[in-house]
Amino acid sequence: MTSKKTTSPPRLDFGLILILFLLFLVSCISIYSAQTTGQYKENFLLKQMVWYMVGTGIIAAVITLDSDQLKKISWYAYGFGLFLLGLLIVAPSSIAPVINGAKAWFRVPGMGSLQPSELVKVFIILALAKVIDDHHEKNRIKTIQTDLWLLIKIGIFTMLPLLLVMKQPDLGTGLVFIAIMLGMIFISGITWKLLVPIFGTGITLISAIFYFVLWQPEILEKYLGVKEYQFARIYSWIDPYNYQSSTGFQLTRSLLAIGSGETTGKGYGTREVYLPESHTDFIFSIVGEEFGFIGASILVSLFFLLIYHITRVGMETKNNFYTYICIGVISMITFHVFQNIGMTIGLLPITGIPLPFISYGGSSLMGNMLAMSLIFSISYHHKKYMFSNNE
C-alpha cells in the first residue's frame, strides 16, 4: 500500500473577504445616515473609509506571518500593550486627555485619538494562545495540578492588562478582556472539576452584588465605598423611563427608534428620533429605525456568518495555537455584538462597547481588523492534506 500526500498552496480567504466587504457597506450606509442629522460637522464616513483602508494594510502585513512567527511576536505585542496602558496612566493630559470621565485615549497628531486597549484585546488573544499551547507542549500528562497551574497563568496574563484598563476606568473593555479569558479557558482543556466550583462561585458573587445593588445599596455604600451616583447606570437600565431626562435618555431614545422602525423600517435617511452619538455605540438603532426588523436581522445574520466562518477555520486547522486564536477572536466579537445590540434594546446595561466593523471609530476598527488579520493568516498558511491509497 502506498500513499501520497500533497498540500494546497497558500490561499486567500475569499469568504471572509466577502463578509467583511458587506459589513463595510453596512457601516458606510449607517454612518452616512447618522451624520446627516445636523448634530455633526465632521465627515465620519470619509474617516471610516480611511480606517478601513488602514485595516486592509494591517491584514496585508500580518497575513504573511505563519504560526511560528506569530508565537515569536506574541510576547512583544503583549508587553507593548502593557506599556501603552501603563503610559496612559502617567501621561499628561496634553497627550492623554480625559474624555467622558475616562483617560483611555492618546492624542495623535493627524489621526485624532488612539485607544490602545482596542489593540490590547488582540494582544491578549495572542499571549493566551501561546500560554495554553506552550503549557500543553510541556505537560503531556494532564493532572489537577497542571490544569490548576494553567488556570493561574491564564488569570495572571489577563489580570495585568485588566487592572490597567480599570484604572482608566473602562468597564466595557474590562468585560471584553474577561470574555476573551473565559472563552479560552473553556477551550483550553482544563478539567471541569476545577471550572465548575470556580465559575459557580463567580456566578454566586455576581448575583449577590446585583441583589445588594437593587435592594440593599446602603450596604455597598457603607462597606465598599460605592457612591450613590454609580448605581444610576443599573437603575436607568432596569427602569429607563424613570430616568429618561438623565442617565436613561439614550436608552429610551434607542428603544423608540428601533421600535418605530417596525418590520420594514422608515426607509433610508428617513429617521425621526433624535439620538446623540448614534454613529458610534448606538449605530444599531439607526439600522433598526431605517430598515426595521428585516434590516436588523440581516445585519445580525452577517455577524453569525462571520462567527461561523471563524469557527470553521478553527476546526479545520490542525495547529492548536491557531485554534486557540480563533476561539479568542470568536469570544471577542461575540461579546461585542451581544453586548452592543443588547444595550441598544434594553437587554443589557449600557457599557460603551461599539458594534464591530459597523460603529465609527478608528481604534475599534483597527483592533477588529487586526483580529481578522490573524484569521486571514491562519487560512493563508493552513495546509489541506489530501491522501490517496493505492493497493
Side-chain angles (χ1 to χ4, degrees), residues 34-50:
Q35 68 183 27
T36 58
T37 59
Q39 66 182 107
Y40 309 112
K41 296 181 180 180
E42 297 182 66
N43 191 339
F44 295 114
L45 172 60
L46 179 60
K47 290 184 176 181
Q48 185 79 341
M49 294 174 70
V50 171

Side-chain angles (χ1 to χ4, degrees), residues 182 186 195-210:
L182 293 178
F186 283 128
L195 297 184
V196 170
I198 291 174
F199 287 111
T201 302
I203 293 173
T204 302
L205 288 175
I206 293 173
S207 301
I209 291 173
F210 266 99

Side-chain angles (χ1 to χ4, degrees), residues 84-98 103 105-106:
L84 290 179
L85 293 178
L87 184 60
L88 272 175
I89 298 175
V90 300
S93 58
S94 59
I95 299 176
V98 177
K103 194 177 181 183
W105 294 266
F106 286 116

